[in-house]
Amino acid sequence: MIKLLQKYSTFLKYIFSAGTSFLIDLILFKLFSVLFKSSIGDYAIIIGTVLARILSSFYNYLMNRNAVFQSDKKGMDTKTFVKYYILVVIQMLVSSGLVFIGYRLLKIEELFVKIPVDILLFMVNYFVQKKFIFSQE
């Protein structure tokens, strides 16, 4: 059991980091969606996604850099920061687009569309971050 935990420790830490980031993102997404829905309608989904992702992604970057992939670089690491935020922008566009389209097509609560979309993106992001962003070159 110990060897199994050690083997998957990076992924388990990633799950914790992503899970807490996801909760922050969902809470902020719902808050911003409610706040902006009366003024901009369904487009509050896109604005809510963007604002929530900006805030939750900074927390996620710090967690992934320092705790999950344990970067040995001290201070600000511009290279990983830029690569990480390129991924965040791509993920944000894909997430907001798919949630917006799914919401319009399915006519269900936007949170119920966002959860499966972001779970799929979670898996893709793990491999991208491990191989391209925080890899120990």
Side-chain angles (χ1 to χ4, degrees):
M1 182 68 164
I2 300 287
K3 284 187 179 189
L4 187 65
L5 288 175
Q6 288 173 335
K7 182 178 179 179
Y8 293 106
S9 69
T10 300
F11 187 66
L12 293 171
K13 288 186 263 184
Y14 179 77
I15 289 172
F16 176 78
S17 171
T20 55
S21 297
F22 186 60
L23 288 175
I24 291 168
D25 190 67
L26 282 178
I27 291 165
L28 292 173
F29 168 75
K30 189 61 182 173
L31 175 69
F32 292 133
S33 294
V34 168
L35 287 174
F36 294 117
K37 188 121 184 162
S38 63
S39 60
I40 59 174
D42 290 348
Y43 294 99
I45 292 170
I46 294 170
I47 299 301
T49 299
V50 170
L51 293 175
R53 191 62 46 90
I54 288 169
L55 297 171
S56 67
S57 68
F58 187 69
Y59 163 81
N60 187 255
Y61 170 78
L62 293 174
M63 287 290 292
N64 287 351
R65 180 177 181 267
N66 299 323
V68 176
F69 300 107
Q70 299 175 343
S71 175
D72 55 355
K73 296 182 179 177
K74 302 294 180 219
M76 182 61 183
D77 180 9
T78 307
K79 185 178 175 184
T80 61
F81 188 80
V82 169
K83 288 194 294 187
Y84 177 83
Y85 272 96
I86 289 170
L87 178 63
V88 167
V89 169
I90 292 168
Q91 178 188 5
M92 186 171 39
L93 293 172
V94 171
S95 177
S96 64
L98 290 177
V99 172
F100 183 77
I101 291 166
Y103 172 76
R104 286 272 177 105
L105 291 174
L106 300 173
K107 302 290 186 205
I108 61 174
E109 167 69 33
E110 60 266 15
L111 210 55
F112 295 126
V113 178
K114 183 174 177 54
I115 290 171
V117 165
D118 284 355
I119 288 172
L120 177 65
L121 291 173
F122 155 83
M123 295 304 293
V124 172
N125 285 343
Y126 172 74
F127 292 105
V128 171
Q129 288 181 51
K130 184 175 181 171
K131 298 291 182 193
F132 301 108
I133 296 176
F134 298 108
S135 65
Q136 303 296 331
E137 300 156 311

